[in-house]
Amino acid sequence: MKIRCEHNSIRLRLRKSEIRQIHDEKRLHTAVHFPDGSTFAWELILDPESGSIKCRFSNGCIQVGLPLQEALQWINSEQIGLESDTDGIHVLVEKDFPCKDRPEEDNADFFQELADKQAPLC
């Protein structure tokens, strides 16, 4: 799961295998472990109790929570992403496309079929 943070926005991009994992386990966690022992982590959680996308930061971890039913609809469709402005933070969770500038990369775990349907970006 890739993360991009910029100017009060958080963007998570998930590959097909990660979409399957979040569907099955209702949680996906990724971390960077630094040599000094500190950790920066981010996780995506499917929350059956929530009615909206939630975002919080605690103990070095960004947690993004998606309402379970909305997330399942997204997972099981051709919908690219879920998006919300939550307490002043813009959150975008998307299915990941292959990189156009790395044609040698194995694209089997990316959503190439959805990328082909998208209008070209400028």
Side-chain angles (χ1 to χ4, degrees):
M1 174 171 53
K2 297 176 190 172
I3 188 170
R4 177 182 286 170
C5 301
E6 183 178 32
H7 305 292
N8 285 342
S9 70
I10 297 169
R11 180 181 183 189
L12 301 176
R13 301 191 82 190
L14 285 75
R15 296 178 180 193
K16 288 180 178 182
S17 58
E18 294 165 330
I19 295 279
R20 283 190 298 275
Q21 182 180 347
I22 191 91
H23 177 271
D24 295 344
E25 299 174 18
K26 309 302 186 254
R27 171 169 275 157
L28 185 62
H29 181 89
T30 304
V32 176
H33 303 280
F34 293 91
D36 68 357
S38 60
T39 301
F40 172 61
W42 54 101
E43 69 181 343
L44 184 62
I45 300 166
L46 303 189
D47 184 356
E49 303 299 319
S50 180
S52 63
I53 295 174
K54 304 281 187 196
C55 183
R56 70 184 203 119
F57 183 74
S58 177
N59 297 320
C61 183
I62 295 172
Q63 292 181 330
V64 175
L66 302 177
L68 178 62
Q69 292 308 315
E70 186 177 352
L72 291 176
Q73 181 179 353
W74 166 66
I75 288 168
N76 295 312
S77 72
E78 290 187 353
Q79 181 180 349
I80 304 301
L82 297 173
E83 185 169 21
S84 177
D85 286 302
T86 304
D87 297 325
I89 297 176
H90 184 81
V91 177
L92 176 60
V93 180
E94 297 179 297
K95 295 173 181 171
D96 201 4
F97 294 168
C99 293
K100 292 181 180 183
D101 60 346
R102 292 191 295 227
E104 72 285 349
E105 188 174 44
D106 180 7
N107 291 329
D109 202 24
F110 294 96
F111 288 89
Q112 179 66 50
E113 66 280 5
L114 297 178
D116 292 340
K117 294 179 180 183
Q118 293 297 304
L121 300 174
C122 56

